[in-house]
Amino acid sequence: MSNSLVLVLNAGSSSLKFALMDAQSGEAILSGLGECFGLDDARISWKREGQDKQEVMLEQGGSHHEKAVGIIVELVENMDVGSQLVAIGHRVVHGGEKFATATLIDESVVAEIDALSDLAPLHNPANVMGIRAAMKAFPSLPQVAVFDTAFHQTMPQKAFTGAISNELYTEYGIRRYGFHGTSHYFVSREAAKVLDKKIEDTNVISVHLGNGASVCAVRNGESVDTSMGFTPLAGLMMGTRSGDLDPGIIEFLLKKGWSQEQVFDTLNKKSGFLGVSGLTSDARGILEAMDNGHEGAKLAFEVFTYRVAKFISSYMITLDSLDAIIFTGGIGENSLPIRREVLKNLRILGFVEDETGNEAARFGKGGMIAKSDLLDAVVLVIPTNEEFVIASQAVEFTKQ
Ligand code: ADP
């Protein structure tokens, strides 16, 4: 076993994903998920290397985040990893303009993350809860925050500035921040390795398609534009989120008597695949229903794949040349029909599918799935690994 293990914690508003990971190899010797926090059926499940999955319900009363961290501490102690555990790495959703890299956490950093809760009300308070619980449980270990937004801090001003009154930026910090940064960072580096190029010379468009979805243009290894914005609601159509829409619709609905909460709820939780299909937010369910002739599912599939292709092609203008388009995330890594349809929609750019490669790329196996002689570029599927980025950055930033 290696001597640098990192406990990676990814706290959501009602969940906590965790992994105990070798920071060099990325191998997880323990991983699990706490969910339904705040509800009667709050629970935590985990899997240790070579053992069956286990699950326990969390007691009611008090913070479920703290209870879950308590169980994780016990699990880690029972594994007897001792001094091999060198750091705790926290995924933090919003780092605002303050955090352009991962950061060693102290009280002032916790306060800064908390102060950014205004920008990510569902996520940052949960991240702070996770950090506080871990600081209490592991007081002698360094804790490092790895931000979803940090990778995008290299975007030029023209890409992050909204076409609105500049006062909204100076007064409230309203601008494009972008999310999924650790994923776009990871797959762009992996693509450079596949292409045998230096990351500083690599230009890609990274397409992360999961429940949340975003496109990122990476020029010479740096993010220069991305489709999520001030919040993770912007850009592509997603599982339950609308992505970009005419802001006039919000005014219209408010005038029709909708409450602010109803509008928020509809755009965040009842749109995307779920809203268009009227059936499900899950891409697998959409594909199955479409095969059975469900019209709503077919429309959801068409809107989704059309929009993904439209974003990819518009992001081409940020680059002087393109080395690769990368598909990642649950849908990008697994869904042959969705990738196939996106590629069809990109035919004007000369992309020709490699059917064997496309059919083989699934369940954690990546590969080359198309190429364009016109652009001298390939399309790759690369499984993402955000936990690995968090673990390796936790070790790197612990040393600073
Ligand atoms: P999150 O954004 O929550 O991390 P994931 O990256 O795990 O989500 O992606 C979840 C999405 O991936 C779901 O829509 C799911 O249906 C889809 N997905 C997973 N496996 C497949 C598959 N074999 N075929 C099509 N879609 C899949």
Side-chain angles (χ1 to χ4, degrees), residues 245-262:
L245 84 168
D246 179 349
I249 294 168
I250 297 171
E251 185 202 6
F252 177 86
L253 291 174
L254 291 173
K255 279 189 177 155
K256 285 279 175 197
W258 284 44
S259 69
Q260 196 183 304
E261 285 71 29
Q262 275 175 310

Side-chain angles (χ1 to χ4, degrees), residues 44-215:
I44 182 165
S45 60
W46 65 88
K47 186 161 171 8
R48 267 180 71 167
E49 212 182 20
Q51 295 187 4
D52 288 341
K53 188 176 165 187
Q54 298 195 50
E55 179 171 283
V56 294
M57 302 307 285
L58 295 174
E59 279 170 31
Q60 292 306 306
S63 153
H64 281 145
H65 283 89
E66 269 192 29
K67 289 197 170 75
V69 172
I71 290 173
I72 296 167
V73 173
E74 232 175 86
L75 285 171
V76 172
E77 279 172 357
N78 285 340
M79 289 176 77
D80 212 16
V81 291
S83 61
Q84 288 172 327
L85 178 59
V86 294
I88 316 288
H90 295 270
R91 176 198 178 208
V92 178
V93 166
H94 219 306
E97 289 184 326
K98 173 79 191 174
F99 298 106
T101 62
T103 303
L104 189 60
I105 299 175
D106 58 20
E107 269 307 322
S108 73
V109 171
V110 181
E112 301 257 21
I113 294 170
D114 205 18
L116 287 164
S117 292
D118 238 13
L119 299 181
L122 297 180
H123 292 102
N124 274 34
N127 297 149
V128 169
M129 242 187 282
I131 291 170
R132 288 211 187 284
M135 284 172 100
K136 211 161 132 188
F138 299 100
S140 58
L141 282 181
Q143 317 254 344
V144 176
V146 180
F147 299 91
D148 272 23
T149 48
F151 181 54
H152 302 300
Q153 280 297 302
T154 45
M155 277 189 294
Q157 196 169 13
K158 68 181 176 193
F160 73 68
T161 302
I164 50 175
S165 158
N166 196 46
E167 270 174 34
L168 295 175
Y169 171 52
T170 50
E171 185 93 351
Y172 299 117
I174 295 178
R175 48 158 282 180
R176 180 182 305 281
Y177 291 98
F179 300 88
H180 284 149
T182 44
S183 179
H184 294 305
Y185 170 90
F186 178 77
V187 298
S188 55
R189 267 86 196 138
E190 289 297 300
K193 286 185 210 160
V194 171
L195 299 166
D196 200 18
K197 293 187 76 141
K198 287 190 192 142
I199 186 64
E200 304 80 45
D201 301 329
T202 304
N203 297 298
V204 299
I205 294 178
S206 165
V207 186
H208 180 116
L209 306 177
N211 284 314
S214 69
V215 175

Side-chain angles (χ1 to χ4, degrees), residues 17 180 208-212 273 281-285 287 329-332 334-336 338 362-363 386:
K17 279 191 212 156
H180 284 149
H208 180 116
L209 306 177
N211 284 314
F273 275 138
S281 64
D282 191 282
R284 274 167 298 198
L287 296 172
I331 298 172
N334 295 300
S335 179
L336 171 69
I338 289 181
R362 59 206 293 240
F363 305 139
E386 290 160 285

